[in-house]
Amino acid sequence: MAYCGDDQFTIRIDLMCSGEVRYLCWHKSNSILAKPNLILRQGTITENEDGAGAEYVFRYRGCIYTVEHLRSDDGRSDLFFVEVTDPDQKKSTWKMEQMSIPKYLL
């Protein structure tokens, strides 16, 4: 569904065979073949009416993790914004860029 990153993190969002939406996050210093630093389950997906994007939302320990996916016209330069809202409503946001999924993961 989504594979993105920046200079700090690599994030992958999967739709499991069961229909569950899963969020996986690795610190950039780790390989994606290693165990993820954070795994979130039971996410929800909201597609934009015009098909230009989607929003994935996950809840964990009082925090809300939101990934906004903005689709590009060419399909190769999508943008992602990751926002984490803590229980005190403090927000942290990261801009991510689409990454190519390595062939060994396909």
Side-chain angles (χ1 to χ4, degrees), residues 1 4 15 18 21 24 30 34-35 38 50 56 65 69-71 73 75 77 79-80 86 103 105:
M1 296 187 74
C4 61
L15 180 60
S18 64
V21 180
L24 305 167
N30 295 336
K35 180 180 177 183
L38 180 62
D50 61 3
Y56 309 96
Y65 292 73
H69 178 188
L70 302 175
R71 293 183 182 97
D73 290 336
S77 55
L79 291 177
F80 297 85
D86 72 13
K103 290 182 182 180
L105 291 179

Side-chain angles (χ1 to χ4, degrees), residues 1-4 10-26 32-45 55-60 65-67 80 101 105:
M1 296 187 74
Y3 187 60
C4 61
T10 299
I11 294 173
R12 189 172 95 195
I13 298 175
D14 295 324
L15 180 60
M16 309 297 288
C17 294
S18 64
E20 178 183 25
V21 180
R22 179 179 69 172
Y23 171 106
L24 305 167
C25 180
W26 294 263
I32 60 166
L33 296 177
K35 180 180 177 183
N37 298 96
L38 180 62
I39 300 172
L40 305 177
R41 299 184 178 277
Q42 306 298 327
T44 60
I45 304 170
E55 184 176 83
Y56 309 96
V57 179
F58 302 86
R59 298 179 188 283
Y60 178 71
Y65 292 73
T66 304
V67 179
F80 297 85
I101 297 174
L105 291 179

